[in-house]
Amino acid sequence: GGRTMPRPRISMRKTKEILRLALKEGLPQREIASSTGVGKTTVQEVLAKAKLAGMDWDSIQHVHEPDIVSQLYPRPAGAKVKTDADWPAIDREMKKKGNTLSLLWLDYKQENPDGMCYSSFCDYYRKWKRASGLTMRQHHPAGKRLFVDFSGLKLPWLNLETGEMREAEIFVGVLGASNFTFVRAVADQSSASWLDCHVRCLEFFGGVPETIVPDNLRSGVSRACRYDPDTNPAYQWFAEHYGTAIVPARAYKPRDKAKAEVGVQVAQRWILAVLRRQTFTSVAEINVQILLLLERLNNRVMKHLGCSRQQLFNEIEKNTLKSLPPEPFSIPT
């Protein structure tokens, strides 16, 4: 026959409930519509399809919902199933709150009535994730985690007053879901510099994540102390001021830390490698250049996702961050 009718967008559970109320309970369509909160024409269509498929309640009551839907909307005989979908877009949608693969499959089926059944859709999505190397990284819900670290590489600058070469430390912050990145140069690794980077990082993002994950394993003790409320109460005060929590990476699996490490590598490749060829005479001057390169980095299209960090941030993460407090944290001197 011709093209199948586009499926109405209702959940699989509702579809099964419509069938139960009609086939088992014998309710009239009007009551089924108000019971399920679905339009009467949709109820009519589902029941017409069920009749065509020769369904009765005994034959479907123990069948999985996706399989019932596949029976209701069978593929025309001889139609070849396309097994590709816009996986990067589906992956982005998956990071939004409340989205599930079954809901995204319903959207997909509405646009591709002859497309994959639910289980194939899930299989191909997982294959795509594996091929993109995305299973390596954990699934980070939007707005949940900000990974922070100092880069091992430093940037030299010339102090004109003393004529000596100094080295600026490079701070990197990466949001878990969108990979949106912040980079800043500071004079040293002191607690005040560390906190200053955090304050500016949150201002750059325009909001506050639920948790901040510092990687505290690289230079041992001095770093571990930095996150200990007893030895560094200021970090604690900072967290209270912004309504966030500091959760050092040692509490996470190594995979999770990879996010900070990848962020640092990206910053080294795209920012530090470029800046090392220039001569700077102040940390402030370095930061002017970093901001220009940072904009380029965040707007570069990530091949495996088909969009940029900036787009991902705007689409899925920006609105999940908590608001900044009216005043920035003032760093104890």
Side-chain angles (χ1 to χ4, degrees):
R3 200 169 153 69
T4 48
M5 283 176 71
R7 301 230 355 265
R9 158 121 200 206
I10 55 168
S11 69
M12 294 187 245
R13 198 170 296 137
K14 272 197 180 165
T15 304
K16 189 167 182 179
E17 181 59 2
I18 289 170
L19 295 173
R20 182 184 73 83
L21 294 176
L23 304 176
K24 181 173 181 244
E25 310 302 342
L27 254 62
Q29 291 182 6
R30 199 182 58 253
E31 283 175 30
I32 296 175
S34 55
S35 166
T36 53
V38 166
K40 222 171 79 188
T41 48
T42 302
V43 172
Q44 273 169 354
E45 190 199 328
V46 169
L47 296 181
K49 293 272 183 196
K51 198 169 174 186
L52 263 177
M55 284 182 179
D56 58 36
W57 183 244
D58 288 342
S59 68
I60 61 162
Q61 63 176 324
H62 301 301
V63 176
H64 279 325
E65 290 153 6
D67 297 331
I68 293 177
V69 173
S70 299
Q71 282 178 41
L72 284 175
Y73 299 89
R75 217 172 294 115
K80 192 169 173 353
V81 188
K82 276 190 13 209
T83 54
D84 57 329
D86 187 349
W87 300 122
I90 287 162
D91 195 56
R92 289 202 291 279
E93 288 295 317
M94 275 298 283
K95 289 183 171 153
K96 295 185 185 171
K97 264 202 174 100
N99 261 341
T100 61
L101 262 182
S102 57
L103 275 176
L104 296 175
W105 176 71
L106 287 173
D107 278 350
Y108 157 84
K109 280 296 264 187
Q110 197 154 351
E111 285 168 32
N112 308 275
D114 309 341
M116 290 168 267
C117 69
Y118 179 63
S119 57
S120 300
F121 182 81
C122 295
D123 286 346
Y124 279 102
Y125 172 63
R126 279 193 284 272
K127 273 183 196 148
W128 173 82
K129 263 181 106 71
R130 269 202 304 278
S132 316
L134 289 178
T135 38
M136 285 264 313
R137 297 168 218 164
Q138 268 178 303
H139 173 71
H140 295 289
K144 183 90 178 152
R145 299 186 189 106
L146 164 63
F147 294 86
V148 292
D149 201 358
F150 273 124
S151 152
L153 293 180
K154 301 172 184 184
L155 268 184
W157 61 281
L158 175 65
N159 183 331
L160 291 176
E161 280 169 32
T162 63
E164 61 169 334
M165 289 303 289
R166 306 280 295 275
E167 285 192 313
E169 298 284 347
I170 306 297
F171 172 93
V172 181
V174 183
L175 282 171
S178 61
N179 287 313
F180 197 55
T181 301
F182 171 78
V183 179
R184 180 169 176 78
V186 277
D188 52 39
Q189 279 204 17
S190 67
S191 174
S193 295
W194 175 245
L195 289 170
D196 175 59
C197 289
H198 278 64
V199 169
R200 288 170 188 273
C201 182
L202 297 185
E203 282 172 359
F204 181 78
F205 295 147
V208 183
E210 276 177 45
T211 56
I212 295 178
V213 183
D215 180 1
N216 63 345
L217 297 173
R218 226 197 338 258
S219 60
V221 184
S222 62
R223 272 185 152 201
C225 292
R226 189 189 286 137
Y227 320 125
D228 184 334
D230 292 334
T231 50
N232 184 10
Y235 204 14
Q236 202 59 40
W237 300 334
F238 159 85
E240 282 170 24
H241 182 86
Y242 287 97
T244 185
I246 309 295
V247 185
R250 62 173 167 236
Y252 283 102
K253 299 174 181 63
R255 234 182 216 192
D256 223 274
K257 276 180 50 199
K259 185 64 97 168
E261 283 158 15
V262 168
V264 164
Q265 284 164 8
V266 164
Q268 287 171 350
R269 188 177 322 129
W270 287 94
I271 294 178
L272 300 188
V274 178
L275 297 184
R276 285 181 95 78
R277 297 195 288 270
Q278 302 177 25
T279 309
F280 295 101
T281 55
S282 72
V283 174
E285 206 181 307
I286 295 175
N287 279 320
V288 171
Q289 290 302 308
I290 284 180
L291 276 177
L292 295 174
L293 291 171
L294 194 52
E295 190 172 345
R296 196 181 299 172
L297 166 72
N298 280 323
N299 282 295
R300 258 184 69 243
V301 171
M302 294 181 281
K303 278 201 191 72
H304 63 282
L305 288 178
C307 68
S308 69
R309 290 169 172 79
Q310 181 77 56
Q311 279 170 294
L312 258 190
F313 172 71
N314 292 346
E315 252 185 62
I316 66 169
E317 197 140 38
K318 196 177 186 170
N319 298 332
T320 62
L321 298 174
K322 293 186 262 193
S323 305
L324 289 165
E327 294 293 322
F329 178 67
S330 64
I331 294 157
T333 42

